[in-house]
Amino acid sequence: MSNNNSSLLLKNARLIDAGQNLDEKADILLVAGKVAEIGASINSTAATVLDLDGAWVMPGAIDMHVHLREPGFEHKETILTGARAAVAGGFTSIACMANTKPVNDSAAVTRFILEQARLAPAKVLPIAAISKGMQGEELVEMGDLVAAGAVAFSEDGKTVADSKLLRHALEYASLFNKPLLCHCQDNALFANGVIHEGVISAAHGLEGIPTLAEDLDIARTIMLAEYLDVPVHICHVSSKEGVRLIKSAKERGVKVTAEVTPHHLFLDERAVVDLAYGETLDESLKPEQLCYNTATKMSPPLRSAADVSALRQALADGTLDAIATDHAPHEATEKAVEYDLAPFGVVGLETAVALSLRLVQEKVLTPLELSARLSLTPAAILGLDDRGTLAVGKAADLMIIDPELQWIVDPGKFYSKARNTPFTGWQMSGRVIKTIVDGEIVFTL
Amino acid sequence: MGFKRKDLLGTRDLSALEIRSLLESAESFKEIAERPLKKVPALRGKTVINLFFEPSTRTRTSFEIAAKRLSADAVNMSASTSSVVKGESLLDTVDNIQAMAPDIIVIRHKFVGAAHLIAGRVGARVVNAGDGANEHPTQALLDLLTISEHKKLEPGLTVAIIGDIAHSRVARSNIWALLTLGITVRVCAPPTMLPRGLDKIPGVVVCARPEAALAGVDVVMMLRIQLERQDRMLFPSIRDYARIFGLNRQRLELAAPDAIVMHPGPMNRGVEITSEVADSDRAVILNQVSNGVALRMAVLFLLGGQGHE
């Protein structure tokens, strides 16, 4: 597929790249899958020329948290459909979680994922489980998994409840400089909860999930990392207190990083009983059921408005390092059930960058900060030193954005197999119009 | 004027006008129970399906009697005989029921929002007979009907609801309806059974102790304590619960001298309420049951009868 000698010249771009601290008009020359030159005016007779007319060029977004469901749950998503959704949303690298069937706890499964990803338009990075079968009892063969291509370890979807096992996992993983991505949740406090414990759960009798269930486990995880002096990454932070714990740990010098999802930045608990609250939804796409719509059910749940504003603040000040989608595809019939019975999770790959642009429009982030949260920092956390920035010599993985393109989220047009988004009918401003991986155009709107 | 909705899913979003018109209509149905021939032809030829996914004797029977007294054909389906046990989804089940062209589906389900889910799906009118811990609107309305026999439903009235608030749809439906009518609502529960966030709902007064909740109230609603909750560490023992939260004669003294005592049933005598109180002339518990039939006749009539042809 890839022609290594091809070259592509992007003219008249607005290049936004946190890695080089650049936000300026530029031409960018891509040769043999790498960034070859950046300049005010580049001429090349050999290259195919694309005049961008001021469109934004940013390093391809890197999603360190997706569920691709293959092997085992191909009716929800496959590596190929997930990767297509990724590039349609501007993501050039996606790290996929281990809770497949079988669990990615062996080199054989990791190799299978990479094999399936060979024809995928995005770079797929397998994350291995922490314990065998995600049973929380025995460590996986980390060395073997790293050799096969695992980029990180995570038990996402559940927590490693046994603190001694978590300790040993943190210690052993540090041997390979591979991060542990921790889904923090105290199982006993989480219990049978389905939405945030707060005014909505109180008023509607839905079982609540207290922020405490998350905060306690974030505290435990941070304390372990601090004691051992090893890095740790906290997945999908959703609470104000979680933010405070991470911020204070960072101030003490703990090697902790953290991510936040777009849905936790844009929606609060009110969405559970009124999916349209505060937003004018496109009439033709407006879901029939706005109350108890299962597209609002995910773990951690949509929190309070105060939590949302703390998350936004923390993303701006860098306490939260990365935006990650926690893309969790489910088949429509699996979600068309009673709220309590619906599986947790929402898709995010095809809406995340557009929502992130809204953070720029709402002055939460500058364009450069956005580029850091979407690309530079996730690359750094995963130790991917060939990408995350468009400096000369780095991989030519990038997204081209029309910052003013008006569009409406229509799940019927998703490349993902799944439609379970809470953003159906949202009117967006700004969209990825082209995605380039290793110098090849893999998506054009 | 009046009640013109397709479905009755809860009291939360009912207006005061809607509540009063339901009560007024129920008032006119009370008299039918006194007749030698307890039947009117209002819903003749209409089919009412009682779809109960949770065991229930009194609510189901009450709906069934209400439908039959209106001359509707009432069919009962319970979870044990339905296809739920065969793994069919709720929506598939109701699609099948809808295919048999019922006029009204009365649904009881253990999960919040089940009635809302099917209401959006079927053409039949849907009455929520209890969805998880969320709503049980006909219970709240029959409670109001019962209160109205003794007190004026207007601001100035104070109602205390005591018991397992967290898991009670009866409490929630009553809270919304009472607040809409401007009535003061006090709630009281062990802290383990008081949902966090309830105190942030405007109008709800949370009392830590039953003594505070009872002081001078006009109406006392005791909730059934589900004995199995003890296993979930929500309270240490029935004995402890009864001692601290149970309604006995001494505690009832704290309420207004003409206060009435209500209970949605079934009662645990000696736990949330002593027999002495339950059987006293202050208790209106059996009136609640009688009023339940009249109120449900009104609901079925307004949803399925005249004005909707």
Side-chain angles (χ1 to χ4, degrees):
Chain A
M1 179 176 87
S2 149
N3 174 0
N4 266 351
N5 293 318
S6 70
S7 53
L8 190 59
L9 177 59
L10 308 176
K11 292 205 62 90
N12 302 314
R14 175 175 166 189
L15 175 62
I16 299 163
D17 180 8
Q20 305 178 79
N21 199 29
L22 275 184
D23 182 353
E24 62 186 35
K25 285 236 161 213
D27 291 356
I28 306 140
L29 180 65
L30 313 174
V31 178
K34 306 240 185 294
V35 179
E37 189 183 347
I38 294 169
S41 180
I42 302 174
N43 289 305
S44 164
T45 47
T48 310
V49 178
L50 273 181
D51 188 341
L52 298 187
D53 194 22
W56 295 9
V57 168
M58 296 174 78
I62 297 174
D63 193 342
M64 54 190 302
H65 191 149
V66 302
H67 297 270
L68 296 181
R69 305 302 190 201
E70 187 182 357
F73 306 101
E74 292 85 353
H75 63 289
K76 296 175 193 262
E77 191 83 287
T78 64
I79 289 167
L80 191 60
T81 57
R84 283 180 183 149
V87 295
F91 289 93
T92 51
S93 292
I94 47 178
C96 55
M97 286 296 177
N99 59 345
T100 47
K101 193 175 174 186
V103 165
N104 182 16
D105 61 358
S106 70
V109 178
T110 299
R111 279 195 293 267
F112 169 81
I113 293 168
L114 291 170
E115 176 61 25
Q116 292 299 96
R118 226 161 34 86
L119 294 178
K123 295 175 179 171
V124 175
L125 312 166
I127 297 168
I130 292 170
S131 69
K132 287 183 185 156
M134 290 177 67
Q135 294 302 303
E137 286 160 12
E138 275 178 85
L139 284 186
V140 296
E141 292 179 302
M142 289 188 168
D144 207 27
L145 282 153
V146 169
V151 295
F153 298 94
S154 180
E155 213 91 325
D156 186 65
K158 41 167 123 171
T159 189
V160 179
D162 183 327
S163 297
K164 192 156 184 284
L165 183 73
L166 184 55
R167 171 198 174 142
H168 292 324
L170 284 162
E171 287 173 323
Y172 203 77
S174 71
L175 194 60
F176 312 102
N177 286 319
K178 297 295 175 198
L180 247 66
L181 317 178
C182 292
H183 172 116
C184 292
Q185 167 184 316
D186 180 291
N187 293 333
L189 287 171
F190 190 98
N192 298 314
V194 291
I195 68 167
H196 172 64
E197 180 174 272
V199 283
I200 301 293
S201 66
H204 292 259
L206 284 159
E207 200 78 39
I209 303 167
T211 49
L212 184 65
E214 180 175 344
D215 304 336
L216 261 186
D217 205 30
I218 291 178
R220 176 184 70 127
T221 305
I222 286 174
M223 289 181 81
L224 275 165
E226 184 167 19
Y227 180 81
L228 301 170
D229 193 27
V230 296
V232 73
H233 176 82
I234 312 289
C235 294
H236 44 50
V237 178
S238 75
S239 77
K240 192 176 165 176
E241 180 61 17
V243 163
R244 197 189 64 77
L245 288 163
I246 292 161
K247 193 179 174 78
S248 107
K250 283 186 168 186
E251 284 163 4
R252 294 197 303 278
V254 182
K255 296 169 190 156
V256 59
T257 54
E259 74 195 27
V260 62
T261 72
H263 49 268
H264 289 116
L265 292 168
F266 281 93
L267 298 168
D268 67 47
E269 58 187 329
R270 284 171 290 176
V272 172
V273 292
D274 182 8
L275 188 54
Y277 86 97
E279 201 63 29
T280 315
L281 301 186
D282 182 80
E283 274 306 318
S284 65
L285 292 171
K286 196 167 172 175
E288 209 163 271
Q289 200 186 346
L290 294 177
C291 187
Y292 313 128
N293 190 309
T294 56
T296 60
K297 184 176 174 184
M298 74 289 287
S299 170
L302 299 173
R303 299 291 189 189
S304 72
D307 291 306
V308 172
S309 65
L311 293 174
R312 287 178 157 226
Q313 170 61 37
L315 184 67
D317 71 21
T319 302
L320 298 175
D321 302 89
I323 294 172
T325 64
D326 194 4
H327 179 81
H330 291 293
E331 203 180 35
T333 53
E334 295 169 324
K335 281 280 197 179
V337 294
E338 299 89 321
Y339 202 91
D340 281 84
L341 299 181
F344 289 103
V346 296
V347 292
L349 283 169
E350 293 172 74
T351 48
V353 169
L355 287 163
S356 301
L357 290 169
R358 195 157 150 162
L359 292 173
V360 173
Q361 290 147 16
E362 293 175 12
K363 310 262 184 242
V364 177
L365 296 178
T366 65
L368 271 177
E369 286 165 345
L370 177 63
S371 150
R373 307 292 181 271
L374 280 177
S375 309
L376 186 67
T377 345
I381 295 167
L382 294 177
L384 310 168
D385 48 19
D386 65 335
R387 68 195 87 162
T389 168
L390 294 174
V392 170
K394 300 288 181 184
D397 294 355
L398 58 87
M399 52 183 168
I400 301 173
I401 291 167
D402 177 342
E404 269 144 35
L405 186 72
Q406 305 295 308
W407 64 289
I408 292 162
V409 178
D410 177 359
K413 295 182 178 154
F414 280 177
Y415 286 83
S416 168
K417 274 194 178 183
R419 307 278 178 263
N420 51 310
T421 172
F423 298 108
T424 299
W426 277 43
Q427 326 228 6
M428 308 287 236
S429 178
R431 188 170 190 178
V432 172
I433 53 173
K434 268 189 177 31
T435 304
I436 293 175
V437 172
D438 285 337
E440 300 285 330
I441 298 172
V442 291
F443 170 75
T444 299
L445 182 66
Chain B
M1 82 133 246
F3 185 83
K4 290 188 173 146
R5 293 167 185 257
K6 171 183 171 278
D7 311 298
L8 178 64
L9 301 179
T11 58
R12 188 190 324 266
D13 55 353
L14 292 182
S15 67
L17 193 70
E18 287 175 307
I19 292 171
R20 289 194 191 279
S21 90
L22 280 163
L23 296 181
E24 213 170 278
S25 172
E27 198 64 48
S28 68
F29 281 110
K30 274 186 189 172
E31 159 275 325
I32 292 169
E34 317 285 326
R35 297 183 188 177
L37 293 174
K38 304 179 184 61
K39 215 173 181 77
V40 291
L43 292 187
R44 196 167 58 200
K46 303 278 183 183
T47 306
V48 176
I49 295 191
N50 289 325
L51 182 57
F52 277 62
F53 292 91
E54 260 190 344
S56 155
T57 309
R58 75 185 57 208
T59 303
R60 205 204 62 214
T61 307
S62 181
F63 269 108
E64 187 178 354
I65 291 174
K68 287 184 166 159
R69 286 190 180 162
L70 292 168
S71 306
D73 298 307
V75 180
N76 293 323
M77 285 181 66
S78 63
S80 54
T81 60
S82 82
S83 39
V84 176
V85 287
K86 297 172 195 156
E88 190 176 57
S89 78
L90 176 60
L91 288 180
D92 279 338
T93 302
V94 300
D95 280 350
N96 277 277
I97 292 171
Q98 178 64 36
M100 296 182 250
D103 298 283
I104 299 176
I105 297 174
V106 177
I107 178 175
R108 156 76 58 97
H109 199 287
K110 72 190 260 205
F111 291 129
V112 172
H116 306 69
L117 184 63
I118 75 163
R121 179 80 158 208
V122 298
R125 287 146 188 291
V126 175
V127 180
N128 184 1
D131 64 321
N134 187 22
E135 288 252 28
H136 189 358
T138 57
Q139 176 71 44
L141 292 165
L142 73 87
D143 288 344
L144 292 182
L145 187 62
T146 308
I147 297 172
S148 74
E149 291 172 343
H150 303 269
K151 316 273 174 192
K152 272 197 143 65
L153 289 172
E154 59 188 23
L157 195 73
T158 303
V159 178
I161 307 176
I162 300 172
D164 183 358
I165 306 288
H167 302 94
S168 177
R169 50 193 171 217
V170 175
R172 286 188 177 78
S173 284
N174 265 298
I175 289 171
W176 311 134
L178 292 165
L179 290 179
T180 298
L181 297 180
I183 294 162
T184 304
V185 184
R186 294 183 194 159
V187 299
C188 177
T192 48
M193 297 180 173
L194 195 65
R196 278 181 78 82
L198 192 70
D199 53 336
K200 301 215 174 67
I201 292 165
V204 178
V205 180
V206 176
C207 301
R209 290 278 184 163
E211 288 75 13
L214 288 167
V217 289
D218 305 298
V219 179
V220 184
M221 287 187 186
M222 298 307 293
L223 299 176
R224 174 182 166 76
I225 194 82
Q226 286 175 286
L227 303 180
E228 60 274 18
R229 302 260 179 239
Q230 197 184 339
D231 303 335
R232 296 180 51 195
M233 300 181 285
L234 292 175
F235 58 97
S237 70
I238 298 288
R239 183 169 161 270
D240 215 45
Y241 181 86
R243 208 171 57 79
I244 303 172
F245 291 94
L247 185 66
N248 52 32
R249 212 160 57 89
Q250 296 91 303
R251 285 207 175 110
L252 186 55
E253 297 287 310
L254 300 168
D258 60 347
I260 55 169
V261 175
M262 306 174 75
H263 192 297
M267 280 187 288
N268 297 303
R269 287 172 179 266
V271 183
E272 67 264 7
I273 190 166
T274 62
S275 283
E276 193 185 11
V277 172
D279 299 333
S280 73
D281 57 3
R282 309 285 288 280
V284 295
I285 296 166
L286 293 175
N287 305 51
Q288 289 173 268
V289 179
S290 312
N291 285 334
V293 174
L295 185 279
R296 289 176 176 122
M297 286 173 79
V299 168
L300 296 176
F301 175 71
L302 289 173
L303 288 178
Q306 297 164 353
H308 287 297
E309 293 304 318

